[in-house]
Amino acid sequence: RPRDAVQWALYYPPIIYFPPGETPVEVAKDARFLANRASQLLFVGRVDEAKAEIDQALRIDLNFSDALALLSIIAVVQNNKEAALSQAQKAVAADPQSATAQIALSYARQARFDLKGARASVEAAVTLDPGNAIAWARLADLQASFGELGKALEAAKKAESLAPDLALTQTVLGFAFLTQVNI
């Protein structure tokens, strides 16, 4: 399975957002901390370690939305579209107010070529958590894919204003400027 051999090189998009200075404090039995650590491990391609953190978080809280959302992202990246959608739907059902779950659902829907559904999910994420820079960056991506370049630039600027030190917001803003032929 060549994909397993290079899993460290695959891109696992970030979905859990903590405003600058608000990351959870390390507590061995805190599902929120474990999910955040799993997210960071996924970002650098350490999937097996991330899964162990997710499993531990789910042992603490079987319906912890962030952990379920991370399982969805893993499934998206590993091209398991059915599992991705199922886990994302479980995450949303576990916490309908979770922007993280809605972002995961947007990726799962996009993997199934449901771009309108993906956009609707990320719009829900922005509504649920207007201060979530990852949600705004994701919205900018999807708006650009629909040719809504002005809206995409506005959403990218909003993402960057919320988290200027986050690489994702800078990357999305750079691409939004490129779509405007503003190098």
Side-chain angles (χ1 to χ4, degrees):
R1 297 183 51 147
R3 185 178 302 261
D4 291 342
V6 295
Q7 67 182 350
W8 59 269
L10 300 175
Y11 176 68
Y12 293 84
I15 59 170
I16 297 177
Y17 177 70
F18 291 101
E22 290 188 26
T23 55
V25 177
E26 182 173 355
V27 177
K29 297 207 179 226
D30 179 42
R32 187 171 181 227
F33 171 77
L34 294 167
N36 183 53
R37 190 161 60 186
S39 177
Q40 292 172 353
L41 288 165
L42 283 177
F43 191 69
V44 294
R46 294 166 63 179
V47 182
D48 292 335
E49 293 171 69
K51 284 181 180 177
E53 298 293 321
I54 294 166
D55 289 344
Q56 190 175 350
L58 290 172
R59 280 194 295 278
I60 294 167
D61 181 353
L62 185 60
N63 291 312
F64 185 55
S65 181
D66 286 2
L68 296 168
L70 289 171
L71 288 176
S72 175
I73 290 300
I74 292 170
V76 165
V77 173
Q78 295 179 353
N79 200 31
N80 188 343
K81 297 172 187 163
E82 296 304 317
L85 184 61
S86 174
Q87 290 294 348
Q89 289 171 333
K90 285 180 188 176
V92 171
D95 184 359
Q97 300 303 309
S98 170
T100 297
Q102 289 291 344
I103 294 168
L105 184 57
S106 79
Y107 281 108
R109 286 178 166 168
Q110 182 177 355
R112 297 169 56 90
F113 304 105
D114 176 9
L115 293 180
K116 288 182 181 178
R119 183 172 59 182
S121 294
V122 81
E123 287 171 347
V126 167
T127 299
L128 289 168
D129 186 1
N132 188 318
I134 290 174
W136 283 101
R138 177 81 176 125
L139 179 60
D141 276 341
L142 287 168
Q143 287 172 326
S145 73
F146 278 92
E148 299 169 349
L149 305 183
K151 288 181 179 180
L153 180 59
E154 288 176 32
K157 284 180 178 179
K158 176 69 174 180
E160 192 270 341
S161 74
L162 291 168
D165 294 333
L166 190 63
L168 175 66
T169 63
Q170 294 297 327
T171 301
V172 169
L173 182 59
F175 279 112
F177 278 132
L178 284 174
T179 65
Q180 302 286 317
V181 192
N182 182 353
I183 56 172

